[in-house]
Amino acid sequence: MSTTDELLKANERYAYSFKLGHLSSPPARKVAVLACMDARLTVEHILGLETGEAHIIRNAGGIATEDALRSLLISHHLLGTQEFIILNHTGCGMLTFKDEELRDRLEKQTGTAAFAPVHFHTFTDLESNLRRQIERVRSHPWIPKHIPVRGFIYDVKTGRLHEVRSSAQTVAA
Ligand SMILES: [Zn+2]
């Protein structure tokens, strides 16, 4: 049995006792979280969120890519979220390789170049990467200035969060 087949069995059990059909689409706690896809992060558990309370947008690294920004814009303008959180974490895999290395490896393995993705968005410093992502979101012309954008590093060994302030926030404070 493949993992997918196992998961489908789990879904049968889930649907049998399903009680969330009453939920509406706009997140009840009006918050959107952009987080790394790392399997050790269960964003709902880390932040005490329940189904229906938040938008959770995930990708490798928790990067404010064009697609993550697209989701945040829809989250705020169409579904009413009023606060954004960006979650990176210790031990992130994106610290362990370089864009060019992976690109070279994949080109060698497949014998072909690809036009996308343009970037893998690897980084070498956790805090400075997180500051850059906060700034990308805060400086977007379609994201209102009153929306708080706060960034945290989740420690995969302790479960704790450590806030990282962007340079603009530090100047303002
Ligand atoms: Zn990660």
Side-chain angles (χ1 to χ4, degrees):
M1 196 192 275
S2 73
T3 300
T4 302
D5 290 328
E6 291 169 11
L7 302 185
L8 289 172
K9 287 258 179 263
N11 174 254
E12 279 174 28
R13 294 190 293 275
Y14 176 73
Y16 184 76
S17 57
F18 187 70
K19 292 189 184 71
L20 298 175
H22 63 286
L23 292 177
S24 57
S25 162
R29 295 180 75 181
K30 300 184 189 299
V31 64
V33 183
L34 170 59
C36 183
M37 70 181 189
D38 192 289
R40 293 167 292 183
L41 278 63
T42 304
V43 176
E44 291 87 341
H45 294 177
I46 293 171
L47 297 175
L49 290 165
E50 302 288 345
T51 307
E53 291 188 337
H55 280 147
I56 297 171
I57 302 148
R58 301 188 68 169
N59 61 31
I63 306 291
T65 57
E66 183 187 345
D67 195 64
L69 288 163
R70 178 185 70 86
S71 296
L72 289 171
L73 288 166
I74 291 169
S75 176
H76 170 67
H77 289 286
L78 299 182
L79 291 159
T81 56
Q82 301 296 331
E83 295 179 42
F84 293 162
I85 290 171
I86 304 178
L87 212 56
N88 285 190
H89 65 98
T90 59
C92 187
M94 301 295 282
L95 292 157
T96 63
F97 69 100
K98 300 252 182 302
D99 272 49
E100 310 78 58
E101 287 169 10
L102 182 57
R103 184 174 306 282
D104 287 351
R105 185 177 124 195
L106 293 175
E107 286 181 4
K108 282 198 186 89
Q109 265 178 25
T110 62
T112 185
F115 70 90
V118 177
H119 302 290
F120 286 104
H121 297 287
T122 54
F123 48 84
T124 53
D125 184 86
L126 207 47
E127 293 204 4
S128 63
N129 174 67
L130 182 50
R131 279 192 201 93
R132 191 174 310 121
Q133 307 318 315
I134 295 169
E135 279 312 307
R136 274 187 194 161
V137 175
R138 285 165 58 97
S139 64
H140 194 286
W142 293 347
I143 292 175
K145 297 298 166 219
H146 69 267
I147 301 290
V149 183
R150 293 173 66 180
F152 301 88
I153 291 174
Y154 172 74
D155 188 325
V156 296
K157 298 294 181 206
T158 66
R160 286 187 190 283
L161 295 174
H162 154 65
E163 183 157 15
V164 172
R165 292 182 183 278
S166 75
S167 45
Q169 285 171 307
T170 311
V171 170

